Amino acid sequence: MDFFWEEALAQARKSLAEGGIPIGAVLVCDGRIVGRGHNRRLQTGSPILHAEMDAVQNAGRQPASVYRRCTLYTTLSPCVMCSGMLRLYRIAEVVVGEDVNFRGPTEELIAAGIEVRVINDERCISMLREFIRQHPGLWYEDIGEENRRQHASSEY
């Protein structure tokens, strides 16, 4: 797990270096990375290019049997959109770097039969916390919120 986890973290750092939101992901099947991705919404002007979506897209078309053997390593708890994609393709497992700054619908993933492991890596927590402090407007745009008050009263 450590190698794959470090690769997801490297993708988050890559996004930050490009001026994007520091979230990264890797899709692993049968012990090898089949797709890498990072949040590229700001870099590309895309409304949907979260790290998880980018990693799966970069893996290319795969048969359903491949996705069912995959583990997605992501530095942040998947949002509703990314969780839907994980459920659609029935990705077997998700390793989440942190769910302190944002917590997606983890219970829905578990109810759908997806194993979820949250590690709350301090590097992920602090990197995203600092980004949110410096760029709150970009952060709330990324999670589909207007302001801090709305986010504080909502769970995803």
Side-chain angles (χ1 to χ4, degrees):
M1 176 181 101
D2 292 333
F3 172 76
F4 301 129
W5 173 243
E6 293 299 324
E7 287 293 308
L9 192 55
Q11 287 293 310
R13 291 180 177 131
K14 181 177 181 178
S15 184
L16 186 61
E18 293 173 353
I21 298 170
I23 304 168
V26 294
L27 186 66
V28 176
C29 186
D30 300 333
R32 69 179 188 87
I33 294 174
V34 295
R36 288 177 171 80
H38 54 281
N39 187 302
R40 295 191 311 128
R41 288 187 67 251
L42 299 176
Q43 298 93 312
T44 65
S46 168
I48 62 170
L49 209 45
H50 284 184
E52 300 89 344
M53 304 289 268
D54 194 35
V56 170
Q57 179 173 311
N58 289 332
R61 288 179 54 195
Q62 301 292 330
S65 61
V66 170
Y67 292 118
R68 291 184 178 106
R69 297 193 318 267
C70 286
T71 298
L72 181 81
Y73 293 81
T74 179
T75 59
L76 184 65
S77 180
C79 70
V80 171
M81 175 179 66
C82 295
S83 294
M85 179 267 303
L86 295 168
R87 290 177 63 191
L88 175 69
Y89 291 113
R90 297 183 195 150
I91 290 174
E93 180 181 21
V94 179
V95 178
V96 176
E98 70 116 328
D99 67 358
V100 174
N101 288 299
F102 177 82
R103 186 161 195 259
T106 304
E107 293 78 18
E108 291 178 21
L109 292 174
I110 294 168
I114 297 171
E115 182 179 342
V116 177
R117 288 189 288 148
V118 180
I119 59 176
N120 280 326
D121 185 301
E122 186 54 44
R123 296 170 296 176
C124 292
I125 296 168
S126 61
M127 184 172 21
L128 188 56
R129 184 177 289 145
E130 182 60 20
F131 180 87
I132 294 168
R133 187 186 71 71
Q134 291 180 11
H135 309 284
L138 294 175
W139 167 248
Y140 289 106
E141 174 190 325
D142 193 65
I143 61 171
E145 289 291 335
E146 293 295 324
N147 61 47
R148 187 175 303 270
R149 188 174 318 137
Q150 284 179 330
H151 178 64
S153 66
S154 301
E155 183 168 306
Y156 301 90

